[in-house]
Amino acid sequence: MFNLIENDIHLGEKADDKQQAITAVAQAFINKGLVEEGYLQGMLAREQQTSTFLGNGIAIPHGTLDTRHLVKQTGVQIFQFPNGVRWSDDNIAYLVIGIAAKSDEHLAILRQLTHLLGDEDIAEKLAKTTDPQLFINLFNASIVDSTLISLNVDTNSLLTLTAINAAKLQEAAAVDSQFVSEVIISAALPIGNGIWVNDSASGNKKNAIAVARPQKAFQHNNKQIAALVTVASVDQKVDELLVNLLDPQCQQALLNGNVEQVKAALQGQVVEVTTSSENKTDVSAENTKTATHAAAGQLEATFIVKNEHGLHARPSAVLINEVKKYKSTIQVKNLDRDTSFVSAKSLMKVVGLGTTKGQRLCFVAEGEDAEQALKGIGEAINAGLGE
């Protein structure tokens, strides 16, 4: 997650073309001291590699990997173009969200953007508003974010779960290094059903809740650990959500739900979670021909993402271009984040899966060329998706 302030938002802008729009974004980064001169060239070069148009009238220009050293501080600049800017082919961008990120911080930003702006109505409203507070309220309001939820963690260590949650919170700028140091050595509190909570009195920068759930519950000091909730708190607003942890339905979601169900339950929404899971067969990228029937008329295959920096915008775009070659209906989910299935032909949905190196993507294809599609997708992933 990231926090927006009013001077990060530029409403009612005009640009003749996308180069002019990207130049304006780069200059805003320079004016704020976020990047050094030369980052513009990286942003333009990145656009030449693959279009950064996400869908819903949104583009996310950012630099190339070899211009990361020019980023002084991670940041976002939002430019609204009410009249639109032609971005690629017939795609018109009304919201241009520039990203300057050090290391892999851009992945978390991309996930947040896709979750927030995946709704067409929200994107359209932001493209027309004259009130910057609408952007600030949308981007800064969420205490519970999907990027802070880690499921199916392969560990039998409470310390590992704590470290994962603390790192997620720090990446989201919700805590600083002092919080991380203290929460790791502090005792967690069991609240029942194998759910534990921990926090730190120091280093809190904003309200946020992180969740880490192991693949299987394990014992710690003769007590079961099935999920860990780590809390960053700067005021009493977070307390309203912590009360939900005592609700049986919320606990059921924490123990058995997918990412979106956990998020909804923590926010106090009623969530029905089934404890049963389908028995699906994984297929490696090197062995696509053994794809099994997921259901009548469907084929399923699972591939491991090998890209060093996960599925950020460029490899995601390469994947989408491969998927769109086929007539079949194709859906995909991130098994390691336990997401819901989404359309594999939507760039915004695929980026929103938040896939990092080593995670597994499960594809289900239905149609006349389903087997060919899964084979082509597997070969593309195994080849590195253009990287």
Side-chain angles (χ1 to χ4, degrees):
M1 295 185 294
F2 54 90
N3 272 334
L4 283 179
I5 59 176
E6 191 163 336
N7 67 4
D8 292 329
I9 304 164
H10 310 265
L11 302 181
E13 299 287 333
K14 295 181 180 180
D16 294 333
D17 51 41
K18 71 176 179 180
Q19 180 168 339
Q20 192 175 100
I22 293 173
T23 300
V25 173
Q27 189 59 53
F29 282 139
I30 293 172
N31 293 344
K32 289 202 68 174
L34 299 179
V35 304
E36 296 179 7
E37 297 283 350
Y39 193 69
L40 170 60
Q41 283 65 41
M43 296 178 75
L44 294 174
R46 171 63 186 79
E47 201 66 39
Q48 290 297 315
Q49 294 171 352
T50 311
S51 171
T52 58
F53 187 84
L54 272 185
N56 288 356
I58 303 163
I60 50 163
H62 52 282
T64 55
L65 294 178
D66 57 5
T67 55
R68 280 185 177 177
H69 68 284
L70 298 175
V71 179
K72 300 177 183 178
Q73 181 181 336
T74 296
V76 170
Q77 292 291 293
I78 298 180
F79 277 70
Q80 178 205 65
F81 296 98
N83 295 326
V85 179
R86 184 170 300 279
W87 211 260
S88 58
D89 300 325
D90 294 328
N91 296 322
I92 306 297
Y94 297 93
L95 292 177
V96 177
I97 305 176
I99 300 172
K102 303 169 68 174
S103 67
D104 291 333
E105 293 169 314
H106 68 297
L107 292 177
I109 294 174
L110 284 173
R111 288 195 296 270
Q112 186 182 357
L113 289 174
T114 54
H115 285 300
L116 291 173
L117 300 176
D119 187 313
E120 291 183 11
D121 292 337
I122 292 176
E124 183 177 356
K125 186 175 182 180
L126 292 177
K128 297 178 179 178
T129 185
T130 58
D131 182 7
Q133 193 62 41
L134 287 180
F135 285 89
I136 294 171
N137 291 343
L138 176 66
F139 285 92
N140 295 350
S142 180
I143 295 175
V144 184
D145 187 86
S146 301
T147 64
L148 300 179
I149 301 172
S150 305
L151 305 183
N152 299 319
V153 180
D154 186 10
T155 186
N156 290 321
S157 167
L158 178 59
L159 178 61
T160 298
L161 296 179
T162 300
I164 289 172
N165 279 352
K168 291 278 189 181
L169 290 169
Q170 186 174 32
E171 183 182 83
V175 303
D176 61 21
S177 58
Q178 186 175 7
F179 179 101
V180 175
S181 299
E182 293 194 9
V183 78
I184 285 176
I185 63 174
S186 300
L189 173 69
I191 62 172
N193 290 325
I195 300 171
W196 292 59
V197 178
N198 60 3
D199 62 4
S200 168
S202 304
N204 297 272
K205 298 174 68 176
K206 66 181 180 182
N207 293 327
I209 296 176
V211 177
R213 188 174 75 199
Q215 289 180 350
K216 296 181 179 179
F218 58 89
Q219 295 292 314
H220 175 80
N221 293 337
N222 296 319
K223 293 184 179 180
Q224 185 185 60
I225 295 182
L228 175 67
V229 179
T230 304
V231 181
S233 175
V234 294
D235 57 39
Q236 294 181 343
K237 290 180 181 178
V238 74
D239 295 341
E240 300 172 7
L241 299 188
L242 294 180
V243 172
N244 297 326
L245 291 175
L246 302 177
D247 181 84
Q249 278 197 327
C250 181
Q251 293 189 357
Q252 179 73 1
L254 282 170
L255 297 173
N256 299 295
N258 60 29
V259 170
E260 294 307 315
Q261 289 170 330
V262 171
K263 177 182 175 181
L266 286 172
Q267 292 173 325
Q269 300 174 28
V270 177
V271 177
E272 293 186 8
V273 178
T274 175
T275 57
S276 62
S277 59
E278 295 181 351
N279 183 20
K280 305 225 177 186
T281 302
D282 286 355
V283 183
S284 70
E286 291 80 12
N287 192 22
T288 59
K289 292 183 180 179
T290 62
T292 59
H293 287 279
Q298 293 182 335
L299 287 175
E300 176 188 312
T302 298
F303 310 109
I304 297 174
V305 172
K306 300 180 177 181
N307 297 66
E308 187 65 30
H309 303 289
L311 289 191
H312 54 91
R314 183 185 178 192
S316 294
V318 174
L319 176 59
I320 296 301
N321 288 338
E322 175 64 31
V323 173
K324 285 184 176 180
K325 293 179 182 178
Y326 308 103
K327 297 179 181 179
S328 294
T329 299
I330 304 172
Q331 293 187 306
V332 59
K333 69 179 294 183
N334 184 330
L335 291 176
D336 294 289
R337 296 190 68 239
D338 198 17
T339 66
S340 301
F341 275 101
V342 299
S343 171
K345 297 183 180 182
S346 166
L347 179 58
M348 182 170 286
K349 298 295 185 183
V350 169
V351 170
L353 294 175
T355 308
T356 57
K357 181 181 179 181
Q359 292 188 336
R360 299 164 298 158
L361 291 180
C362 175
F363 291 84
V364 173
E366 182 175 9
E368 60 186 71
D369 56 359
E371 184 173 357
Q372 182 184 358
L374 293 181
K375 180 179 179 181
I377 291 168
E379 290 174 349
I381 292 175
N382 196 40
L385 296 172
E387 294 189 332

